[in-house]
Amino acid sequence: MSDGGGVRMRYDSAARIGHLEEILINIISRLPPKDAVACKTVAKHWLSMISEPKFANLQLSHSQKNPNYIICPYPKGSDIVTHLSLMDGDGTIYRTLPLPGFETISSPDMVCHLNGLICCVNEIDFDDVEIRLFNPITRELLLFPTGSPSLLPPSVGVVFDPDSTNYKVFRFFLDSIESGTCKCEVYASDSTEWKLVSEDVERPEPNPICPMCPYYVSVAGKMYWFEWSEPDPSYPLSILSVDLNDEFSIIMLPKAVNEWSFLIELEGFLALVWLDYPDLYAADVEDDPKPFLEVWKFEPLGWKLRASGALELDLLSIRDFNSVAARGNEIFFIIKTDESLCFCIFDLADGTLRMLDVGDTYDEYVPVAFPFVESLLKCSGD
């Protein structure tokens, strides 16, 4: 409209409100998740805005820039896991999270993912397990339906779609002793029942020397696990994988490795952490032998040695590894020794080992630790 030769601007109120809402969402999504949830009580519009899946995805994108570790501890005098502990990079426990709906679960197999959802596999009988997915921040919990009958406790792995919040749960089971092979069925986040995808696959097995370490890793839409030697099941032969299209494949190892071998996610790629140790009976062995660490990263062009170096640890006192995890350019170890638990971080940049002082917080038994980001994602996927 003209007014004295000038032009009066007309503002689109809907566009202006939309722009302000976008700014508001950007601000709230940067808050800690518990504070973002508290903002739902401000107004109905805020409740609707924060409950949208796109808000949870935006919040996750901010949280992923600063992951911490989550630890699954047993309390003193009990074999029941009652809570999880969030630990920063200096070993400080800054928050504990109760486990909703897990009052009767003993010795759970916790498998945590960087999107803040945790898969818990609990053996309820010799031939069956309960599979739950839960968000320890929102306390949402999802119990999966019972799968096919199995003669052994099934092995379970979860694969998340890197481009969405959808996922697939792979369940490896044995229904016939005569066949000697394992079958695999899958449950997708958008399905209502298990679907058989393979009748002949190698069942993921725990490390025979370090049985508490997770037996698989989920990286960028794929699940990876070791194929262990049959004549001598103390070292891996190769790496097996399955993707979101239910396609299985084999990856050869970069070199012959021993039982102290672990698969982790490192910098968005699959990585192999291997600790070599000298022959203690060799004539030229040192008086104070040290384990030697190699970290191999599986990139599009193949394996690449990412880091290596001797670990300043008493080799003779190491009994097994409870957990091996990575965050940024560091690798976090929980090592069981003759006397206690040892918490340490290997810096990939300078090859140094840093010991964490956690006091007597975990003077009992700690199963596993994982990199973790607090999120508001729903267990049901998109």
Side-chain angles (χ1 to χ4, degrees):
M1 301 291 293
S2 62
D3 184 10
V7 177
R8 180 180 299 171
M9 301 295 293
R10 287 186 175 180
Y11 292 95
D12 188 333
S13 59
R16 181 173 56 190
I17 292 174
H19 180 63
L20 293 176
E21 181 177 279
E22 182 179 343
I23 295 176
L24 183 61
I25 290 175
N26 204 356
I27 294 174
I28 299 177
S29 65
R30 297 174 187 273
L31 296 174
K34 62 177 182 178
D35 295 333
V37 171
C39 290
K40 289 183 176 182
T41 62
V42 173
K44 290 184 178 179
H45 179 67
W46 283 39
L47 171 62
S48 175
M49 180 178 63
I50 297 173
S51 300
E52 287 289 330
K54 65 179 181 181
F55 178 86
N57 292 333
L58 182 60
Q59 182 276 326
L60 178 62
S61 68
H62 295 313
S63 295
Q64 285 176 328
K65 298 174 183 177
N66 186 33
N68 281 309
Y69 292 110
I70 193 166
I71 294 179
C72 175
Y74 287 97
K76 295 181 180 179
S78 173
D79 62 351
I80 304 296
V81 178
T82 60
H83 68 280
L84 302 174
S85 299
L86 290 176
M87 186 185 78
D88 62 22
D90 295 326
T92 302
I93 303 300
Y94 67 91
R95 190 177 176 191
T96 58
L97 302 171
L99 291 178
F102 290 87
E103 290 80 4
T104 61
I105 286 188
S106 172
S107 304
D109 178 10
M110 295 281 184
V111 182
C112 176
H113 297 273
L114 287 177
N115 59 7
L117 299 182
I118 296 178
C119 180
C120 176
V121 181
N122 181 62
E123 186 175 327
I124 59 176
D125 204 345
F126 178 76
D127 57 358
D128 202 4
V129 295
E130 285 183 334
I131 308 171
R132 289 179 170 91
L133 194 69
F134 74 102
N135 185 324
I137 302 300
T138 64
R139 301 194 183 185
E140 180 192 7
L141 184 146
L142 178 64
L143 176 64
F144 293 100
T146 302
S148 301
S150 180
L151 300 179
L152 294 173
S155 297
V156 177
V158 185
V159 177
F160 283 84
D161 187 339
D163 300 320
S164 72
T165 58
N166 294 323
Y167 58 83
K168 283 189 173 182
V169 181
F170 291 88
R171 183 177 180 271
F172 301 81
F173 64 98
L174 180 68
D175 63 356
S176 171
I177 295 294
E178 289 75 16
S179 67
T181 59
C182 195
K183 295 182 179 181
C184 178
E185 57 187 2
V186 64
Y187 188 95
S189 54
D190 58 353
S191 64
T192 58
E193 60 183 13
W194 293 95
K195 180 185 73 172
L196 186 67
V197 295
S198 175
E199 296 193 9
D200 184 5
V201 65
E202 187 78 19
R203 180 176 184 266
E205 297 282 358
N207 185 315
I209 306 299
C210 306
M212 296 312 300
C213 264
Y215 49 75
Y216 85 95
V217 63
S218 180
V219 183
K222 287 188 177 183
M223 172 185 172
Y224 300 92
W225 67 99
F226 281 129
E227 177 189 16
W228 297 94
S229 169
E230 291 185 3
D232 181 12
S234 62
Y235 64 92
L237 293 176
S238 61
I239 299 172
L240 307 180
S241 73
V242 62
D243 61 20
L244 288 166
N245 294 321
D246 308 331
E247 295 181 356
F248 293 82
S249 59
I250 299 176
I251 299 175
M252 302 310 297
L253 295 166
K255 61 188 303 184
V257 295
N258 59 23
E259 68 275 18
W260 282 3
S261 302
F262 311 94
L263 298 176
I264 63 171
E265 178 181 5
L266 177 64
E267 301 167 342
F269 294 91
L270 170 70
L272 168 68
V273 178
W274 173 52
L275 286 96
D276 195 11
Y277 49 86
D279 182 359
L280 299 179
Y281 300 100
D284 58 348
V285 67
E286 299 179 2
D287 293 336
D288 186 18
K290 304 291 183 183
F292 185 82
L293 172 70
E294 286 190 4
V295 181
W296 291 82
K297 191 164 68 169
F298 189 67
E299 299 182 344
L301 296 179
W303 290 103
K304 177 181 178 181
L305 183 62
R306 176 65 175 80
S308 62
L311 294 185
E312 292 300 318
L313 294 171
D314 182 0
L315 175 65
L316 298 179
S317 69
I318 297 177
R319 288 295 164 261
D320 58 39
F321 289 75
N322 276 19
S323 193
V324 180
R327 185 192 71 162
N329 64 344
E330 66 181 33
I331 298 180
F332 176 48
F333 297 95
I334 300 180
I335 303 173
K336 194 172 185 179
T337 66
D338 288 334
E339 299 178 354
S340 63
L341 290 172
C342 173
F343 296 74
C344 55
I345 288 178
F346 180 79
D347 191 313
L348 293 168
D350 57 20
T352 59
L353 189 71
R354 176 166 55 95
M355 309 302 294
L356 300 181
D357 182 12
V358 298
D360 61 354
T361 305
Y362 300 116
D363 59 353
E364 291 289 315
Y365 185 61
V366 181
V368 292
F370 294 93
F372 181 75
V373 295
E374 301 180 51
S375 83
L376 302 176
L377 294 188
K378 296 182 179 297
C379 294
S380 55
D382 285 344

